[in-house]
Amino acid sequence: MTERIEGHGGELALAALRAHGVREMFTLSGGHVFPLYDAAHKTDFPIYDVRHEQSAVFAAEAVAKLQRRPGLAVLTAGPGVTNGISGMTSAFFNASPVLVLGGRAPAFRWGSGSLQEMDHLPLVAPVTKHAETVFSTDDIPRAVGAALTAALTPHRGPVFLDFPLETVFSVADADLPTPAGVDAVEPDPDEVSRAATLIAGAQRPVIIAGSDVYAGNAVAALREAAEALQVPVFTNGMGRGSLPPEHPLAFAKARRAALSGADVVVVVGTPLDFRLSFGDFGDAKVVHIVDAPSQRATHVQPAVAPAGDLRLILSALADHAGDRADHADWIADLRVAEDAAKARDAAEMAAETDPIRPARIYGELRRALAPDAITIGDGGDFVSYAGRYLEPSQPGTWLDPGPYGCLGTGLGYAMGARVSHPDRQICVLMGDGAAGFSLMDVESLVRQKLPVVIVVGNNGIWGLEKHPMRAMYGYDVAADLQPELRYDTVVSALGGAGETVAKAADLAPALQRAFDSGVPYLVNVLTDPTDAYPRSSNLA
Ligand SMILES: Cc1ncc(C[n+]2csc(CCOP(=O)(O)OP(=O)(O)O)c2C)c(N)n1
Ligand SMILES: [Mg+2]
């Protein structure tokens, strides 16, 4: 039996949001969305507010990514919504189920020049799975339910609704929709069996597993498939940590050897994009396993590309009954390359240089971080090093901005992570350039008692741009920041705490103080500006 509910638009929306598993909102105030606050306030629904709408959407995205449930951002009409667009776009690239509810100028006098009167839909439609204006109050619960179902249906992604002023302020009664649930999409069994035969028969297969494996709850199935077929596994994005680092099939460093030597490359739950040389692995055959037909690549032709529920596909691979080649020598060869790279990394991470090089920071962090700590990367070179030197040992513990590569996720992601995991270490790894986009939100974290640790790799430059520009032109412009700036005192001024570290030996005690402090704490590490992350492509 459907439940009948009565109330203003905010109350109707909130009832539907709760019913669909939304547990909090991230927002920045604006009169157009007051009814949503009123409904939340009266029912003890948590409201977290921020200092820039971008952080609200990033916080909602962190909840969605980490907890695999919908995250909610509430943005006021006009500039509130436009400030959220980079966040929505990141969620779109990352397939994160985020719902953005926007205020909207009144419909009854549309065209008369109301404050902040603009049609958001043409702006947000290209970066959302569904965007709709809800013109009638009693239609709000249906619209919220339908939007959330779209967000959670693979391939997942953000959705947007806006409510004209009179729609959300008016009272109506309506049916509360029961959550529709998301049906698992059955893959084509022929494609799955062709993929299994190809992998099992390969001499040197490799699996690369990405974010949709975690989002699709397919981590256990990935492990079963890898173990059953004896295939080495590399990961990216939210796929990191899917296999614990000590697992015999878990690899991270031997990527070059693996991809240049492989005869079959299996890419699961991540696009064949620039991070994976656009799906071109020389003579190797490519198996691309995706969670929805829309995710099949159009720029390359894989040998086979099964589409559907990743658990079903990976479990079917694990159950493959046909012949299989022995991969023991291949795995052993890769292990030699992996161990050698690890030894090189260990030496870098212990280096006693003055000034400090980023590698050493990560050496210290590896000792300071608990296995379930959430690490968040927001920056250029400093975050590339984080990807290289930090080894997540559990899935769902690493947040990077994803293929949209948007600077400024840091404090929003940190807020969403702290709300998701009140008892874990939350550590933001931030370039000094990146810090400029969201550091003011330390104030939001302080006020709402959401402690996190921020480690700034302070090289005084936009490193990932300065080094390549010099290499290309012999000079650089627009790439300098104030050297040795005291980002820690910014955080202290906002009610948190922090310190500047210039000597490698001082890093460990500073990190200890940071994690013990119980407040937002910034460790401002002065790093070597001549240190450039070695990369083949220099455009970011
Ligand atoms: C919103 C946004 N603006 C600009 C860029 C281009 N960009 C990529 S990395 C980078 C430099 C980052 O500098 P910093 O955070 O100090 O890290 P570093 O490379 O110095 O370690 C810039 C400007 C971007 N990715 N996103
Ligand atoms: Mg920098």
Side-chain angles (χ1 to χ4, degrees):
M1 207 184 75
T2 46
E3 197 188 331
R4 196 81 186 153
I5 47 170
E6 195 196 334
H8 60 61
E11 290 169 321
L12 299 183
L14 205 80
L17 290 163
R18 273 188 200 278
H20 286 80
V22 178
R23 292 194 217 137
E24 68 288 294
M25 74 169 72
F26 299 96
T27 192
L28 194 157
S29 190
H32 290 83
V33 294
F34 280 177
L36 288 157
Y37 298 166
D38 180 57
H41 176 70
K42 286 182 175 151
T43 58
D44 288 329
F45 186 86
I47 301 173
Y48 299 98
D49 66 291
V50 295
R51 302 296 295 260
H52 190 296
E53 285 83 359
Q54 171 164 295
S55 290
V57 183
F58 285 139
E61 200 204 351
V63 163
K65 277 180 152 186
L66 292 171
Q67 297 192 59
R68 297 179 281 207
R69 66 169 174 84
L72 170 67
V74 173
L75 309 181
T76 200
V81 172
T82 53
N83 274 352
I85 285 180
S86 288
M88 283 182 243
T89 313
S90 290
F92 192 65
F93 275 68
N94 294 333
S96 303
V98 169
L99 169 62
V100 175
L101 294 181
R104 184 179 172 102
F108 75 90
R109 61 157 67 100
W110 195 262
S112 315
S114 295
L115 172 71
Q116 297 165 344
E117 181 189 276
M118 75 165 293
D119 184 10
H120 308 121
L121 266 54
L123 290 182
V124 303
V127 293
T128 52
K129 288 187 70 182
H130 176 80
E132 178 185 350
T133 299
V134 187
F135 286 102
S136 141
T137 309
D138 62 2
D139 196 27
I140 288 178
R142 177 214 57 83
V144 167
L148 287 171
T149 302
L152 292 166
T153 300
H155 190 60
R156 300 168 188 83
V159 290
F160 175 87
L161 298 176
D162 62 8
F163 303 139
L165 198 79
E166 71 274 34
T167 305
V168 73
F169 274 84
S170 298
V171 171
D173 63 334
D175 286 338
L176 182 64
T178 38
V182 175
D183 295 332
V185 176
E186 294 278 344
D188 175 342
D190 284 349
E191 287 180 329
V192 175
S193 114
R194 272 167 53 214
T197 307
L198 205 57
I199 303 164
Q203 300 300 310
R204 297 175 309 282
V206 174
I207 291 176
I208 300 173
S211 298
D212 295 334
V213 171
Y214 180 71
N217 244 320
V219 170
L222 168 74
R223 186 172 171 158
E224 283 162 23
E227 287 174 352
L229 297 170
Q230 284 297 299
V231 184
V233 176
F234 293 77
T235 53
N236 73 12
M238 292 299 287
R240 298 188 74 198
S242 289
L243 262 58
E246 62 280 4
H247 191 285
L249 294 170
F251 289 86
K253 315 281 168 201
R255 221 172 145 111
R256 194 182 299 258
L259 292 179
S260 56
D263 59 349
V264 171
V265 176
V266 187
V267 176
V268 193
T270 191
L272 300 173
D273 63 13
F274 67 96
R275 295 170 299 176
L276 294 175
S277 46
F278 302 99
D280 179 358
F281 304 108
D283 293 335
K285 293 204 172 75
V286 177
V287 176
H288 192 205
I289 300 175
V290 292
D291 66 1
S294 63
Q295 295 311 295
R296 290 194 171 113
T298 50
H299 60 284
V300 282
Q301 188 65 53
V304 58
D309 188 290
L310 296 182
R311 277 168 308 190
L312 295 179
I313 298 174
L314 290 165
S315 302
L317 295 184
D319 293 343
H320 176 66
D323 293 343
R324 55 193 67 180
D326 178 14
H327 305 142
D329 287 349
W330 165 238
I331 295 167
D333 286 351
L334 291 182
R335 187 56 65 194
V336 171
E338 179 84 8
D339 289 346
K342 273 194 174 148
R344 284 194 297 275
D345 281 3
E348 293 283 315
M349 283 190 281
E352 280 295 337
T353 59
D354 181 9
I356 299 170
R357 287 217 299 267
R360 178 62 188 267
I361 303 176
Y362 292 112
E364 298 299 337
L365 270 168
R366 285 173 69 114
R367 280 185 281 278
L369 291 170
D372 66 354
I374 309 285
T375 47
I376 298 165
D378 182 13
D381 280 355
F382 189 55
V383 174
S384 302
Y385 283 116
R388 171 153 158 195
Y389 293 123
L390 293 182
E391 246 179 353
S393 53
Q394 296 180 11
T397 58
W398 164 258
L399 286 175
D400 63 30
Y404 193 52
C406 185
L407 292 175
T409 54
L411 274 276
Y413 273 11
M415 180 180 268
R418 173 50 77 221
V419 167
S420 298
H421 296 296
D423 301 322
R424 295 200 195 174
Q425 292 172 323
I426 309 289
C427 183
V428 187
L429 308 155
M430 215 178 222
D432 51 340
F437 291 88
S438 73
L439 207 53
M440 196 67 205
D441 263 313
V442 163
E443 190 278 325
S444 316
L445 295 176
V446 168
R447 186 165 36 78
Q448 293 166 103
K449 302 201 170 30
L450 301 168
V452 305
V453 170
I454 305 160
V455 177
V456 170
N458 187 347
N459 54 6
I461 53 173
W462 298 97
L464 175 51
E465 307 301 348
K466 184 175 177 97
H467 296 299
M469 192 169 177
R470 286 201 85 81
M472 245 185 250
Y473 292 94
Y475 70 91
D476 65 88
V477 294
D480 287 331
L481 299 163
Q482 254 186 66
E484 304 190 6
L485 195 71
R486 296 291 305 272
Y487 295 96
D488 53 323
T489 60
V490 175
V491 168
S492 303
L494 295 172
E499 60 189 286
T500 290
V501 174
K503 298 265 175 292
D506 297 334
L507 275 167
L511 291 172
Q512 176 83 47
R513 280 188 288 275
F515 284 112
D516 289 346
S517 74
V519 294
Y521 195 106
L522 188 146
V523 181
N524 184 38
V525 188
L526 305 182
T527 59
D528 184 352
T530 65
D531 183 290
Y533 187 84
R535 61 184 78 239
S536 46
S537 163
N538 284 329
L539 294 179

